[in-house]
Amino acid sequence: MTLLHSPAERKLPPGVRDHLTSPVTRQVLRLQQRVTDAAREYFARLDIVELLPPMVGPVTDPGARGAKQVDVDYYGHRYKLMTSAILYKQASLLAFDRLFYIAPNIRLEPLETASTDRHLTEFHQIDVELSGASREDAMAVAEGLVRHIVRRTLTTMPDVLADLGRATGAFDGLVDDRPFDRCRHEEAVRTLHAADHPQNPGAEIDWVGERLLSARADVPFFITDYPKGSRGFYDRESRDHPGSLRNFDLIAPEGFGELCSGSEREYDYARLVTRIRETGENPAKYGWYLDVAREGLPPSAGFGLGLERLVRYIAGLHSVWQASAFPKLPGVVSP
């Protein structure tokens, strides 16, 4: 393992043998399997179909908050490893109205994320897309998913949680039927300014601000209505409130931070082209996707929930790398 930079103090993963033979690693990976089993169980109840995601394509999600994309030579063409399969999710709605992936993603995250304890360069998302759905529909599915997974973990793996030192009382406010709280982006910004944190009102909540908001909560909560320009072109702009996006983040409590991002999708061809141009990109780059949109994409909403982040929260781990068998951290060369 080679460290390419010297960030703030943080605990790095041990060597491969020590990590894989650690009792903590084995328990965490058992818990991760239960999380994916519970997710599939929940989606089966809702008749949401699982598809296998692509791992490489001519273009990938551009809205990866400072992360660099990885190029590969695809028979003489410059293709991308998926930072997110969102464009493919939208297109897949032509086959199924409700679908999910458990999708691998590669993002060369900025080096400053190495000290956040919640960023990996290789990770997995539980990706969901729902045809004809609103943002509120997608939020309800995300909330139900997290609630179901936590309940299943508590009832079937109390021994694992005990071995990990995770107090099950941390989930008392989550397993009941109380709806998750919600606040608009502008409200979150005001809260952070009142706490003397200099959050940019026109940008996503930064990592420090997100941790501050998360630490104040004891139950997951939603932040909605991010400003236009802070997210990808596929997040639908509100027709009633121009400049505001019909999107959301799901934030875990106790300082664990963001679990999930989602939105209603832009699906109109002309609006997509305009939004792509507004980001400074050439629409031709998204040729296959825009060809599909020109022929007609259904309106939809969906989200991506970080699998390792959810496991970290449930297990009460100090860092997300503990939820990966072969963790890859920003700036660290490792197996």
Side-chain angles (χ1 to χ4, degrees):
M1 181 177 296
T2 303
L3 184 62
L4 296 184
H5 60 111
S6 299
E9 283 290 322
R10 74 188 195 279
K11 187 175 181 180
L12 292 172
V16 173
R17 177 175 290 276
D18 288 342
H19 181 56
L20 290 176
T21 58
S22 163
V24 171
T25 301
R26 290 198 295 269
Q27 295 288 57
V28 169
L29 296 181
R30 284 181 61 207
L31 188 150
Q32 186 177 89
Q33 181 183 12
R34 183 55 47 87
V35 167
T36 56
D37 287 347
R40 289 186 168 101
E41 178 183 71
Y42 176 75
F43 292 137
R45 292 179 181 177
L46 297 180
D47 196 26
I48 300 176
V49 177
E50 181 172 11
L51 300 183
L52 300 179
M55 297 180 64
V56 61
V59 69
T60 187
D61 173 12
R65 193 148 90 163
K68 294 181 180 179
Q69 299 175 1
V70 179
D71 294 337
V72 296
D73 184 338
Y74 190 77
Y75 302 103
H77 296 270
R78 188 179 180 183
Y79 270 43
K80 305 287 186 183
L81 297 182
M82 291 294 105
T83 62
S84 165
I86 182 170
L87 306 182
Y88 290 89
K89 284 198 303 180
Q90 274 190 280
S92 295
L93 292 175
L94 299 176
F96 294 98
D97 289 339
R98 298 157 68 83
L99 61 96
F100 78 97
Y101 301 143
I102 298 182
N105 295 273
I106 303 291
R107 298 179 188 174
L108 298 185
E109 298 282 2
L111 294 182
E112 59 266 26
T113 65
S115 59
T116 66
D117 290 324
R118 65 179 194 83
H119 284 85
L120 294 169
T121 61
E122 180 182 72
F123 61 98
H124 296 79
Q125 284 193 157
I126 302 175
D127 262 312
V128 177
E129 201 70 19
L130 309 167
S131 182
S134 67
R135 175 183 65 185
E136 286 68 28
D137 294 330
M139 291 168 69
V141 171
E143 179 175 334
L145 173 64
V146 171
R147 201 185 300 276
H148 177 77
I149 288 172
V150 169
R151 285 173 172 167
R152 291 289 288 150
T153 303
L154 291 175
T155 56
T156 62
M157 307 195 83
D159 56 329
V160 170
L161 294 173
D163 287 347
L164 293 171
R166 182 58 157 154
T168 57
F171 306 108
D172 286 348
L174 192 155
V175 296
D176 62 21
D177 292 323
R178 186 180 71 184
F180 292 175
D181 288 338
R182 304 181 182 194
C183 73
R184 292 170 56 87
H185 177 273
E186 60 187 22
E187 297 173 56
V189 171
R190 285 197 296 269
T191 298
L192 290 172
H193 286 175
D196 295 324
H197 178 70
Q199 171 64 45
N200 180 348
E204 289 189 295
I205 305 298
D206 61 41
W207 295 301
V208 173
E210 191 178 280
R211 187 164 59 247
L212 290 171
L213 293 171
S214 172
R216 295 162 61 104
D218 57 6
V219 177
F221 65 95
F222 290 104
I223 300 176
T224 66
D225 302 280
Y226 282 74
K228 182 181 177 182
S230 67
R231 290 287 174 89
F233 62 78
Y234 40 77
D235 281 14
R236 186 170 181 264
E237 184 177 4
S238 172
R239 304 300 186 252
D240 298 325
H241 302 282
S244 177
L245 298 174
R246 294 278 298 164
N247 62 1
F248 64 91
D249 279 352
L250 177 59
I251 310 297
E254 304 177 75
F256 286 102
E258 178 201 317
L259 292 176
C260 167
S261 289
S263 73
E264 287 180 17
R265 310 303 187 192
E266 188 55 77
Y267 59 92
D268 177 78
Y269 171 78
R271 289 182 182 274
L272 281 167
V273 170
T274 298
R275 290 287 301 280
I276 291 171
R277 286 176 174 156
E278 286 175 348
T279 67
E281 292 199 88
N282 183 353
K285 176 180 174 180
Y286 300 91
W288 79 263
Y289 170 73
L290 290 175
D291 286 345
V292 173
R294 185 188 290 111
E295 294 298 319
L297 279 171
S300 68
F303 60 85
L305 188 152
L307 174 59
E308 289 86 355
R309 288 184 181 182
L310 180 59
V311 171
R312 179 199 175 203
Y313 163 55
I314 295 173
L317 305 174
H318 70 76
S319 181
V320 71
W321 64 257
Q322 294 176 284
S324 174
F326 298 95
K328 295 179 177 62
L329 275 67
V332 178
V333 176
S334 57

